[in-house]
Amino acid sequence: MPLILAVMSSAAPAAGSPWRSAAELWAYGTWTAVRDEAPINPGNRIAQIPETRYVADLRAELRGDFDRVHLYLAPRWVGEQQHLAGRDDQGESHLRLRQGFVRVDDGANSWLIGRERLTWGPANFRSPSNPYYFDPGRVDPLASTHGIDLARMTHATGDWRLTGAYVRGTREVPSAGPSRRSALLKLDHQGEAHLVSGIVMWPGASDDWAQRTPFLGAFGQHVVDDAWLLYWELGSGAPSGELALSDPPRRRASASRQNVVLVGGSYTRLDGHVVYLEYLHDEGGFDDDERRRYRQLANSAADRLDRGDGGGAQTLGVLLGAAPRLLGRHYLWAGWQSNPQETRHLWRAELTVNLDDGSARTLLYGEKSLADTLSGFAGLTWHSGSHDTDFGMLTRAQLSLGIKWFAF
């Protein structure tokens, strides 16, 4: 890795060059308190969550601006060492392209081809109006949101903007489901104090579109005054797959629509701090009967595993791997962050509550500048709720400590 940094540092552009570059290295450790007694993951034998992780994460950017043509490359190298009780330490590394595209601007029109992070909308906790991204990447301070492979065209006229895109693949975005082709249309209207957008996505662009369920989405935001922002998002579409709570449980295709709605608002204080509050209704989660059935299947499979029946492990693997990312249907998310314009330090606090089972997740994160090119950070996540609840079933807490070095 020192060699990589040296090569990148030597490529810094000269003054007046159309090229600009940046690179930063994140080095941190994460310690996780795993809930070994949870029926869904007895003894951590199913999820196999590492108790300790040491990560080196190098994120670089290269931009080239040539009149109407713009080039952007954002590679990412990650090296990781993991420790799991009862197993040998495991190490791995990979180099991936977060984003990489060529864009041509010509007056009211813009064309782009490559890999682009196609996120939008004002929400933080979820992104219901986006068929590709579970959230816009604002909740996890250590995450890096990757792009999708596409070709798109945008035309702007007055207050309106129309975007059409052909998506070739989504393999770098796990929340998008299986990597597949699709077609997208997005229409935006920008007013003085509002923004409203509508989205239509047709999955399976290489198949018979008439046999596919199109995704429909929309979002809006309204600036009330200098302090208040109100917003909403909604999405309606069929998931790429769902969990059938039969005995044994199984994955199955789904053509039924599931609707997701989010409403929220933010308030910016005089000191620059921002407070958020969002409510989410997600039909993709379990209702009361499904939640009870899920617990029964997990408890039964855990008992079978204790008796030496290998089928219990297989059942638990399906229950854990095919379950919806959010097990409930009603959530409340609240956030408070320091002034984002403050360069010497920043902090944020978040609380997520599953209103169906009462479990919660609390996040505290802080970062402080240690030198002109160096900062330190710490993050603590605490899960509350019993071992058969949404946020309490896998881990109790997670602590991360590390540094960021801004190479150039």
Side-chain angles (χ1 to χ4, degrees), residues 38-77:
I40 195 69
N41 185 36
N44 197 23
R45 285 178 284 177
I46 308 302
Q48 298 185 2
I49 302 170
E51 286 128 346
T52 306
R53 295 172 60 231
Y54 297 104
V55 180
D57 186 347
L58 178 61
R59 308 177 185 185
E61 294 183 354
L62 177 64
R63 301 174 184 267
D65 297 309
F66 307 91
D67 193 16
R68 296 181 301 171
V69 180
H70 307 275
L71 173 68
Y72 181 68
L73 295 173
R76 180 190 184 197
W77 179 88

Side-chain angles (χ1 to χ4, degrees), residues 315-326:
T315 297
L316 290 172
V318 174
L319 288 172
L320 190 60
R325 187 161 174 177
L326 293 176

Side-chain angles (χ1 to χ4, degrees), residues 80-139:
E80 182 173 346
Q81 188 78 14
Q82 299 182 355
H83 172 73
L84 185 64
R87 298 183 126 201
D88 294 334
D89 289 358
Q90 297 181 347
E92 62 178 9
S93 64
H94 58 262
L95 177 64
R96 291 177 179 167
L97 187 65
R98 290 179 294 157
Q99 296 189 80
F101 57 78
V102 176
R103 190 183 78 245
V104 178
D105 297 329
D106 183 15
N109 299 312
S110 175
W111 293 269
L112 180 146
I113 186 168
R115 178 172 297 172
E116 181 188 30
R117 185 174 60 218
L118 199 64
T119 56
W120 57 68
N124 296 277
F125 176 52
R126 279 244 18 217
S127 188
S129 66
N130 196 314
Y132 305 111
Y133 293 88
F134 179 80
D135 62 63
R138 302 174 188 143
V139 174

Side-chain angles (χ1 to χ4, degrees), residues 234-249:
L234 58 88
S236 177
S240 57
E242 64 180 8
L243 175 64
L245 295 173
S246 53
D247 192 3

